[in-house]
Amino acid sequence: MWNSAHRRTGRIGGVAVTAAALIAVTATGCGTGSGGPAGAGTTPPGVTSAPPASPEASPTLSPTPTPTPTRTYALSRAPATVPAVRAHEAARGPGWKPGPTSSVVVAEGSEALADEGRLLAGELKIDYRGAEPVRAGDVELALAPSGGGPAESYTLTTHDNRVRITGPDEAGVFYGTRTVKQALKSGTTVPEGVVTDRPDRPQRGLNLDIARKHFTADWIEARLREMADLKLNQFGLHFSDDQGFRIASDSHPEVVSAQHLTKAEVRRILTLAQSLHITVVPEIDSPGHLGAVLKAHPQLQLRNVQGTPRQGAIDISKPESARIVDDLLREYAGLFPGGWFHVGADEYQALTVRDPQASYPQLAQAARQKYGAQARVQDLAEGWLNDRAAVVAGAGKKAKAWNDGFFSGGVVTADKGIEVEYWTGKEIGARPPLEYLREGRQVVNLNDEYLYYVLGEPNEFTYPTGRRIYEQWTPLVLRGTTAVPADYSDQILGARLAIWCDLSQAQTQEQVAAGIQKPLAALAQKVWDPRKPALNWAQFKALADRVR
């Protein structure tokens, strides 16, 4: 473009016009920097049209054609989402939003994405056309060829009034559709450019205690939808404890509480979860926290040397104890299709006394008989954990167990394949996280300092607001407020926010849903992207409200 130092005179229709004025006439539509189209240009004052020159007039320059005005746009910004996208390549353009002829289509060979396509089309209130050629205004979903990125990743390209989402698996493409949905809520358009995105941790989710408090199937399904929009992928279901056993049973109907989920309701929940790429992890906690089972089988309750029963604890020296628990593990392993089963192992009351061998001689004797003269009660408990892990492994599941069910210094060691769910360092004898990590174990973070939402706030718990999670916590902070060395990061598989219903009547279902909304969003951000968030807490909280 010319500047004021290069003024050249020409003629338009016989009228002398400086180059600067000529530019004012022809260079319409220049971007204003606001991101939207600039207004049309106008003829500068003093420049008018004139009649054609007569043949006798002096020779003139040929008229300069006036270009068609074009819209220009400021460089786009990344879509505003929770969690934030990892990378965005900016571009100039109007972005994309649904129009009257917009549809969702799937690329040829990607028909497996039909469910994701139909869901997005319904949410955006546009048509789903299936495996048809993409047109202007459409969203296209496609599975990338092998090697197209890490699991659950996706690429989202917005250009030429089209959106294309590709990923190496269905989950990744699904997360791209969540970005489209949230971008439209936060900014009315999907910004021009290319998003490349992936999670930092493979396990990201929510844990729910339905044993102490009955939650309806509808409420659980609503939480699954909320989780999916936050790109969370694991839902722990703790359905057996001292206060209740909350799923119908065919093998032992006598243990089931009056208020419970039917198997039909559970299957409905599982179908929804699978469609949202969420794995439901069932939990039957043993050898502690079995009060509901023991209510129907009091002969199996653990008693100390004085004959005093211990709440929730089953006597693991009795063969019948293992038979009943294994019946239940096998039954529910068949009901839940996911790859994990949580077998508990925490807070076994026999190991909370000063001298377990003296207090529970029957356990000490069983330990020696099974594992040798040097074996102690902790070895019997560790063997119980290994045996239950073997039962679920036989059903094709990987076992999870709470960290205080893993002991050191005994003759029996917990199987290395069991995932450690680290929740506390406050229990008697609880080992610090580094001990598990140095043993080469894989760990999931449920740090009770940050990630426990305990109804009624007993034992000095307070309801998390999400702010401390967002500002202070990372997956490396497994116990208290101190992070483990980053060298162990790869062994930390992820994290879940946990709802525990110790005082079950302290909040209604609706209050729980409202209370966990911000903590769950904060967790989602921190397990998706390891970097410090760009938004401050107030900005993040406002965004979380907009994209719900």
Side-chain angles (χ1 to χ4, degrees), residues 407-426:
F407 305 102
S408 61
V411 300
V412 180
T413 301
D415 188 281
K416 287 290 183 65
I418 303 171
E419 291 181 4
V420 180
E421 303 245 327
Y422 201 100
W423 70 281
T424 188
K426 300 172 184 175

Side-chain angles (χ1 to χ4, degrees), residues 109-442:
S110 298
E111 288 82 4
L113 296 170
D115 288 345
E116 288 76 14
R118 290 189 183 95
L119 176 62
L120 181 64
E123 291 169 329
L124 303 187
K125 296 180 172 57
I126 60 179
D127 289 338
Y128 173 71
R129 296 204 324 272
E132 292 191 9
V134 63
R135 305 182 306 210
D138 286 351
V139 178
E140 183 183 31
L141 310 183
L143 291 170
S146 61
E152 299 185 290
S153 66
Y154 68 93
T155 300
L156 188 157
T157 304
T158 305
H159 175 66
D160 198 22
N161 195 27
R162 294 175 173 87
V163 173
R164 178 176 169 85
I165 304 170
T166 63
D169 51 31
E170 293 175 42
V173 175
F174 175 71
Y175 295 142
T177 69
R178 302 306 87 194
T179 294
V180 168
K181 180 182 176 182
Q182 287 197 19
L184 293 171
K185 286 187 174 184
S186 65
T188 72
T189 62
V190 181
E192 204 84 2
V194 180
V195 169
T196 52
D197 206 8
R198 62 181 176 83
D200 182 50
R201 305 285 160 169
Q203 297 186 31
R204 313 174 301 279
L206 175 67
N207 216 68
L208 176 64
D209 169 16
I210 66 170
R212 296 179 177 97
K213 181 181 180 69
H214 175 66
F215 288 84
T216 65
D218 287 345
W219 190 92
I220 292 171
E221 288 178 323
R223 303 289 73 70
L224 292 174
R225 293 186 179 95
E226 181 179 356
M227 289 172 61
D229 284 350
L230 295 171
K231 303 182 174 78
L232 299 173
N233 67 354
Q234 194 177 83
F235 182 67
L237 195 61
H238 177 93
F239 64 91
S240 168
D241 211 303
D242 296 346
Q243 295 82 355
F245 193 102
R246 303 288 182 182
I247 297 178
S249 172
D250 299 318
S251 66
H252 289 281
E254 74 279 2
V255 306
V256 179
S257 301
Q259 276 192 312
H260 64 271
L261 298 173
T262 67
K263 286 194 173 179
E265 288 176 315
V266 172
R267 290 187 183 99
R268 193 182 85 198
I269 290 167
L270 293 170
T271 297
L272 175 63
Q274 286 182 294
S275 75
L276 299 174
H277 301 280
I278 295 170
T279 300
V280 180
V281 181
E283 181 189 352
I284 296 177
D285 200 349
S286 76
H289 295 279
L290 278 172
V293 172
L294 292 170
K295 184 178 179 181
H297 297 275
Q299 76 280 8
L300 300 179
Q301 187 154 23
L302 178 66
R303 295 176 181 271
N304 66 13
V305 69
Q306 286 86 27
T308 304
R310 295 306 303 267
Q311 174 65 31
I314 200 166
D315 189 333
I316 58 176
S317 70
K318 296 182 176 181
E320 188 185 352
S321 296
R323 282 197 295 269
I324 287 177
V325 171
D326 290 350
D327 285 346
L328 294 168
L329 291 175
R330 292 188 181 100
E331 177 180 359
Y332 294 103
L335 177 62
F336 289 84
W340 291 275
F341 204 117
H342 202 305
V343 297
D346 66 311
E347 297 183 314
Y348 187 45
Q349 295 300 307
L351 294 169
T352 62
V353 297
R354 181 175 299 176
D355 189 348
Q357 284 65 234
S359 295
Y360 299 96
Q362 77 276 30
L363 300 183
Q365 180 181 2
R368 291 190 296 269
Q369 288 175 342
K370 190 169 185 179
Y371 299 113
Q374 301 305 312
R376 296 173 292 167
V377 173
Q378 77 166 50
D379 296 303
L380 192 67
E382 204 79 293
W384 173 277
L385 169 59
N386 285 340
D387 290 344
R388 306 296 75 76
V391 169
V392 300
K397 312 292 185 186
K398 188 177 183 66
K400 290 175 173 285
W402 299 113
N403 68 283
D404 48 332
F406 295 76
F407 305 102
S408 61
V411 300
V412 180
T413 301
D415 188 281
K416 287 290 183 65
I418 303 171
E419 291 181 4
V420 180
E421 303 245 327
Y422 201 100
W423 70 281
T424 188
K426 300 172 184 175
E427 297 292 304
I428 296 172
R431 297 193 291 152
L434 275 176
E435 290 194 22
Y436 303 87
L437 296 169
R438 286 170 180 158
E439 291 172 1
R441 297 185 184 277
Q442 293 183 313

Side-chain angles (χ1 to χ4, degrees), residues 8 18 20 43 47 63 69 95 98 147 156 251 276 373 390 400 455 507 519:
R8 194 174 94 188
T18 66
T43 304
V47 178
L156 188 157
S251 66
L276 299 174
K400 290 175 173 285
L455 267 60
Q507 288 191 337

